[in-house]
Amino acid sequence: MLKRKTAQLAIAALLSVCGSVARAEEHPEALWLRYPAISPDGGRIAFSYAGQIWTVAALGGKASPLTGSPWHATHPVWSPDGQSIAFAADRHGQDDVFIAPAGGGAIARLTYHSANDRPMSFTPDGKEVVFSSARLGDPKADATNAVYGLSGLYQRPYAVSAMGGRPRQLLPTTALNLTYGPDGRILYEDDPSIVENTWRKHHVSDASHDIWLYDPNTNHHEEITGYRGEDRDPIWSADGSQVYWLSERGGNFNVWRKGLDQSEPEQVTFHERWPVRFLSSASDGTLAYAWNGALWRLDPDAAEPVRITVTISQGSLYDTTSIRDVTGEVTQMAIAPGGREIAFVARGEIFATGWDSKVTRRITDTVAQERDPAFSADGRRLVYASEGSGSWDIYETSMNDGDEVDRFSAPVALNERALVKDDADLFAPAYDPEGKRIAYLRNRTELRVQDLQTGTSLIAQAGDRTYSYNDGDLALEWSPDGQARDGHVVTRYPLARWTKPSILLQNAGSYSDGSVFPMLYKKKGVGKIVGDRTPGTGTAVSDVPQLQAGLRYRVPELGFQLNDGTWFENSEIEPDILIHNDPNLVAEGRDPQLEAAVKAMLEQLK
C-alpha cells in the first residue's frame, strides 16, 4: 500500500508550468546576470545567465551565448591573451572545468573528478587553468571526509593544462578566488572551512573570509585584510601596487582598495541595500561587477560606475506550457490535519495534493520564492513565507468560509492575503491551535507572535537569545493548548511538551550536544538521569583541514550559556543514579546502565 501511494504521489507531482501569453518586447533587457568576468583588454564581459555562459561588449548591447542548454554553466574566466574562456558546467553531474574559444566553437573538458571543480584564473603564461576543488588528492582522505559529512569544505587550488591532462595541487592551503598579479604573486581569499551559507550577509565572526597575499618565490603568506566581517573577491590594480576587493566593512558589500604597504582601506563604490558581487578587472584596471541583478563597469580614474544594459535575443521553449516531474525537487512539506492532504515546496512554489488523489494544484505562482508552509487546525488556511515584495513576509491562502470542500487540491476558490509585512525577513510561520495567532521568526532569530484579529505583534523571545547557524535550522511549534508554559508562548523543544515518564541514559562519551541535552533535561526536571557523569563539552567547533589522511582536529569557536549564566562547557552533569558499565559485564552481554534505567522507569510507572 505504501509503495502504491508513493507512486501516486510521484505521478501527482507532474506539474504544468505555464508561460506568459503576453508578447514580450523584441529584445528585453536581461537581469540577474552572475559571475561577470571582464576580458584582459577590457573589451568584453563574460557572464552567466539562465544557466549559460554569454559574452557582451563592455559598453553593453546584445549578448552572444558561448554554451547551450540544458546543462548549467558558471564561473567564466578569461585566458591572459583573451582567446579562451574556461568555465564550470555540470554536464556530467558535478561541476567540471571546460574550456572554449572566446568567440565560440568546440568545447573541451579539462577535469574529471567527482568533486565540484570551478575555475578561478589562468596562470600568467596562459598554459594552465587554476581551479578550486574539495579533492584532497588521497582517496582515503576523501572517504574519511565523506563519513564525517565534511566533503566539500576544503577548497584548495589546483592547476590543469589548458590542453588537458592530470591536475596538480597549486597550494596545500585552502584558497578561493585566486588571481595572479603582474609580478607573479598571488592574491586569494582564505576559506575557514566551516558550514556556512556562501551568500549570507553581515556575517561578523572569526570564521569570516580575509584576503591574503602569497609569494611563490619565498612561499610566504601575508594577511592583507584583518576586518572581522567579510572580505572577498580580491583583484590586482593595473600596476600591481594595490588590491581591490569586496567588503562589508561599510555596511553592504562594496568595492574597496588599499596599497600592499598596509595603508588604510578606501571605499571605491557606494551602492546601497544590495550587495556588490563577482568583482573582476581588465589589464588596464577597468572593473566589472554585478549589483542588483545588472552588470556594472568602473573605468580607470572614473568617479562613478556605469550600469551596462544587456539584451538577450535567444528564444526559449521553456516559455510554453510544459510538464515537469518535481518529485526529486521537493524541499519542504506540511501535512494537513487528519492527513487528508499535503502542501509541499518545489522550485520555490507551493503545491497541494491529496494522498489518494492524482491531482496536484499549484497554490502560488510568483517569480519570487515561497517556503515554510503550515496548515491551520481546521485545514482551511495555509500560511507561508514569500519573497514577493522584495523581502521575506508572511502570507496566507485560504478557502471561502461557505465552501463545503475542504481541500486545497480540489477545484475551490482560493484567496491570498499578506498577514505580516516588515522590512526585516520573516520566516517559519505557525498557527496557534485556535488559528487566531501566528508565531514566526523575524530575521531568523527573534521569535514573535502576531494576533490576526487585532494586528498587534509582541516579542516572545529576543533575537539575542537564539543563535541560527544555518538558514532554516530553527522550527516553531505551539504547545497543545496554545498557552504560555515555563514562560514561553511557543516552544521549539520536545522538553517543554513531553508529559510522560522518561529516563535519560548518559555516559562518559556524551559530549558536545550529547552533554547539552542532559543539562537541559535536568534543568527542566523532565526525569531522572542514569549512567556516568558527562565531560561537559558544550561548545561549537570547526574542523581544521587534515594534516594527513585520517588525521584531523577541531577548534572550539562558540560557547553556550543557560539563562542563569551557567556555561555548558566544563559543567559536568551528575546523574541521579550513578552507574558505571563494568567491562566484564558488558563482555557477558549485559548493560548495567540500561538495567538500572529500566528498573527506575518501572518504579515511576507503579
Side-chain angles (χ1 to χ4, degrees), residues 203 275 341 350 370 372 396 517 588:
H203 173 206
E341 66 177 339
I350 295 178
E370 279 78 39
D372 303 340
E396 177 189 76
F517 185 82
E588 296 174 3

Side-chain angles (χ1 to χ4, degrees), residues 102-123:
I107 298 174
R109 183 182 181 184
L110 298 183
T111 66
Y112 296 81
H113 200 272
S114 58
N116 283 317
D117 300 332
R118 295 177 179 130
M120 299 184 287
S121 64
F122 278 75
T123 52

Side-chain angles (χ1 to χ4, degrees), residues 222-275:
E222 178 185 355
E223 187 177 26
I224 300 300
T225 63
Y227 173 55
R228 201 163 179 264
E230 290 289 353
D231 291 318
R232 298 191 171 197
D233 293 14
I235 58 173
W236 293 88
S237 62
D239 61 2
S241 65
Q242 291 183 308
V243 55
Y244 288 76
W245 77 99
L246 300 181
S247 178
E248 281 191 305
R249 64 188 65 211
N252 293 311
F253 271 114
N254 266 292
V255 180
W256 289 69
R257 69 183 172 198
K258 65 175 293 187
L260 295 179
D261 57 358
Q262 298 298 325
S263 59
E264 287 298 313
E266 176 187 1
Q267 189 168 349
V268 178
T269 64
F270 297 85
H271 295 286
E272 297 180 350
R273 186 174 184 181
W274 308 116

